[in-house]
Amino acid sequence: MSDLTASVLETKNGFHVDGYEKISYDFTFLDGVFNIENRQLAECYHKWGRVLAVTDMNVFDVYGEQIEKYFQHYNLDLKVHKTKIGEKAKTIPTFLSIVDSMTEFGIYRKEPVLVVGGGLVTDVAGNTNFIRVPTTVIGLIDASVSIKVAVNYGNYKNRLGAYHAPMHTFLDFTFLRTLPTAQIRNGFAELIKISSCSHLPTFDLLDKYCEQLISTGFGRTDGAPVEVRDAADKINREGIHEMLKLETPNLHEIGLDRVIAYGHTWSPMHELVPETPLRHGHAISIDMAYSATLANNRKLLSDEEHHRILKLFSRAGLSMDHPQFDEDILDKGTQAILKTRDGKLRAAVPNPLGSCTFLNDVSPKELNAALRRHKEIMKGYPRNGEGLEAFVDASDTGYTENNQKEVDALEAAAEKAGSLNGSMDGTNVVHGGKIMDGVNGHDNVHINGHSNGIPEANGIAEKLANGGLTNGVNGFTNGAKA
């Protein structure tokens, strides 16, 4: 929540305003946030007597019944907006569909929306007062720390957005019990990011327990060794704490030299350029591995440290290279990030491992030479440095390789929204996108980012609903009636 104090001074030609905003919010570690005996979340809504929840369809498929029973127990009326948000559906129309649900719900100005899901859901839905319950490793470790909320536009990540702090964030790591291994691995990259540039003791723990952390959902699956669970709890707490210490002085990203931007210089290109995009964790891992090679070329990172960090990526099954990562993509990524960072590269690199330096004076020739060397090094690693389960599939909601019609509908709706905002007559958009049998070559896929024995989907048929957007574009509610 925010408190604003300001002063207004009269000047010769007008007025001068100084405003200072206090931002205050809480994090609570709470295993079993939707267990009836844990009343902390319900108490946040007691004064309102009701809850509007925005959640990923995948999460609702697994936890929906438990969520409904939880709020029923506390006599809180619940309405759920179920959405599908992948990187290419992280768009204005998706956001507007959530706004429509808020309008239908009759939400009050300071009434908090409950946002339950991964980082993509919290990124899009957090444009009002909200309480956050992240459900993935990335959501818990990384997205929970930031107050930035944004949508993508074109091939640019987080192109349009704002800064809104949640009223409260509940960190429940038991959600990792039902998260597929591919998604655990995906989030593991964020912990490598923060530890390799800012907290060596956490890197040491990741290095020691790498395979066990991934295979046991950070110690949360049945039968996980107590030692691994304890290590995971230490890693998670220290990782979040370290990122908070780094980010809280710079919540609005006024300072552009950001330690937590390690791995985020060229990764947006990796994430959005391939026809089937790389998962976020794999995209930033490629960036981090290449940046480590660049740092090693400059003797900022020793040969031993360089090998150690690359070996950890490989053991985790994270990507360190991609066939489309070439000099052209490297140059395009560089040019794009220079605009975002006010004309400077500001590439964060480890120097040494556990600390960080920002590079600004790197020439295209040096960048290309580092890329050529990096690709030679990758020949000595399994799969030439390519990761395991690196590409999005049905456990990354919002879109898959086989529902391009739905992606096209999103893009068409975005275009119409831009030109018809405020129009009362409305224009229909495409209504027929389907997800056909099988995703990314698999006949049976998890129907959600979480799985706990619920039958897997042998093909999913989803149609874009004939709902009405308040901005004049009819027929688009992100694939589902709110």
Side-chain angles (χ1 to χ4, degrees), residues 41-53 68 70-79 105-108 110-114 131:
L41 176 60
E43 287 175 348
C44 296
Y45 288 93
H46 178 72
K47 67 173 289 186
W48 304 101
R50 62 178 190 166
V51 181
L52 172 62
E68 289 172 342
Y70 176 82
F71 287 112
Q72 187 178 48
H73 177 79
Y74 289 101
N75 297 314
L76 294 168
D77 293 333
L78 173 68
K79 179 182 177 181
F105 187 72
I107 198 151
Y108 288 92
K110 293 188 177 182
E111 184 177 5
V113 173
L114 175 63
I131 291 172

Side-chain angles (χ1 to χ4, degrees), residues 360-378:
N360 289 312
D361 60 342
V362 190
S363 68
K365 182 179 179 180
E366 183 180 358
L367 290 173
N368 290 338
L371 180 60
R372 289 192 295 271
R373 179 177 176 236
H374 184 68
K375 286 186 174 290
E376 284 299 314
I377 292 171
M378 289 301 99

